[in-house]
Amino acid sequence: MVTRRILAIGGGGFMMEGQRSAIDQQIVALARHSCAGRKPRICLIPTPTGDAESVISEFNDAYGAVAETFQLTPLRKPRSNSLPMRDIAQSLLTMDAVFVSGGNTKSALGIWKEWGIDSALREAYNAGILIAGMSAGAFVWFEYGFSDSYYDGFAPLPCLGWIKGGFCPHFNGENQSRAIALREAVNSGQMPTTIAVDDYAAVLLEDEVVTRVISWRDNCSAYRLSVAHECEITADNDKSSSGSRLPLTTGLS
């Protein structure tokens, strides 16, 4: 039976840490489940960054030695490892994992809808391909993300709605400004019950349920916020979820 998987990263990884980090290595490990001894096939979707060349380069540097890398970049001319734009769904179904970058979620959603990338990603997700992402790439799968896409502060942003509730990245970052604004938005009813994830932490959802909280720096975790209530997500309060601490460096063969 296929298990649908999303790895939602609050912040960190190659985009923030400048190199392949522990969470990037975890993505490779999760993708290897379907590889049968070969390198995993991982596709970068950097639409939230406007398909920035710097992000593409950083991704290839971080993953090139441990995975076969591809990119889906409708805003750039194709290169040898680009997925064709004619049949995106079929191409994504040949991947072991997809990674969606941080950036501007609202802009990415508009482009995805125009090209049918949103529906192609849903097919990949339903087929059991690992969907991973950081910041914008973490909350786009939820009903609402707590976003700064308008560049005038934080606000709820309607997203794809694959997972009920909301998601907030960078919960312990940005001088606590996002965390303060999120608490106000949840308590006022602007945001639904929300999973908030710190920088250097992530949650793994299997069939839309959190099954692991992963961190790779001290005092970084994930939380569930509802009206007048906030708790750390642990095995006791999120069904079968379990916390795990990743080492700062992990050798990969």
Side-chain angles (χ1 to χ4, degrees):
M1 188 174 181
V2 170
T3 299
R4 299 180 299 275
R5 298 180 298 163
I6 289 177
L7 182 66
I9 304 166
F14 73 93
M15 286 188 70
M16 286 179 57
E17 299 177 70
Q19 60 185 353
R20 175 164 30 103
S21 79
I23 195 62
D24 298 305
Q25 295 172 113
Q26 182 68 14
I27 290 170
V28 173
L30 290 168
R32 277 182 172 159
H33 283 292
S34 59
C35 290
R38 60 171 171 79
K39 285 184 176 181
R41 296 162 59 89
I42 302 178
C43 180
L44 170 69
I45 303 181
T47 327
T49 69
D51 291 348
E53 184 61 44
S54 60
V55 174
I56 296 168
S57 178
E58 290 166 3
F59 172 77
N60 288 324
D61 288 346
Y63 284 85
V66 293
E68 191 176 355
T69 60
F70 299 84
Q71 62 190 52
L72 179 59
T73 49
L75 303 178
R76 285 198 171 270
K77 289 184 178 180
R79 57 187 70 180
S80 60
N81 66 339
S82 297
L83 298 191
M85 300 302 298
R86 283 287 182 188
D87 194 346
I88 296 169
Q90 190 59 42
S91 295
L92 288 179
L93 289 172
T94 68
M95 298 294 116
D96 300 299
V98 169
F99 181 88
V100 178
S101 72
N104 191 298
T105 318
K106 185 172 178 60
S107 296
L109 285 167
I111 294 167
W112 285 4
K113 183 175 181 180
E114 180 67 26
W115 282 97
I117 294 172
D118 52 351
S119 58
L121 281 164
R122 184 66 195 233
E123 286 190 47
Y125 175 60
N126 288 339
I129 293 162
L130 174 68
I131 306 294
M134 191 272 290
S135 192
F139 68 67
V140 70
W141 324 110
F142 289 75
E143 288 181 310
Y144 290 90
F146 201 55
S147 172
D148 58 355
S149 286
Y150 287 95
Y151 304 119
D152 60 356
F154 305 108
L157 180 72
C159 294
L160 293 175
W162 301 359
I163 303 168
K164 290 183 178 179
F167 186 95
C168 176
H170 309 301
F171 189 59
N172 63 345
E174 300 168 319
N175 296 317
Q176 293 294 310
S177 60
R178 193 186 295 253
I180 292 168
L182 175 66
R183 292 184 179 107
E184 292 175 352
V186 170
N187 286 327
S188 68
Q190 296 177 64
M191 277 288 285
T193 298
T194 295
I195 295 171
V197 181
D198 290 336
D199 287 340
Y200 314 111
V203 291
L204 178 66
L205 298 102
E206 297 180 308
D207 295 332
E208 297 80 55
V209 174
V210 175
T211 56
R212 287 179 66 192
V213 177
I214 301 165
S215 67
W216 58 104
R217 292 196 185 180
D218 291 336
N219 303 314
C220 299
S221 191
Y223 308 86
R224 188 175 298 279
L225 280 69
S226 56
V227 175
H229 185 68
E230 179 176 328
C231 64
E232 187 171 3
I233 297 175
T234 68
D236 295 329
N237 62 25
D238 209 279
K239 295 189 177 180
S240 61
S241 66
S242 59
S244 62
R245 174 71 187 274
L246 292 177
L248 294 179
T249 59
T250 302
L252 288 174
S253 57

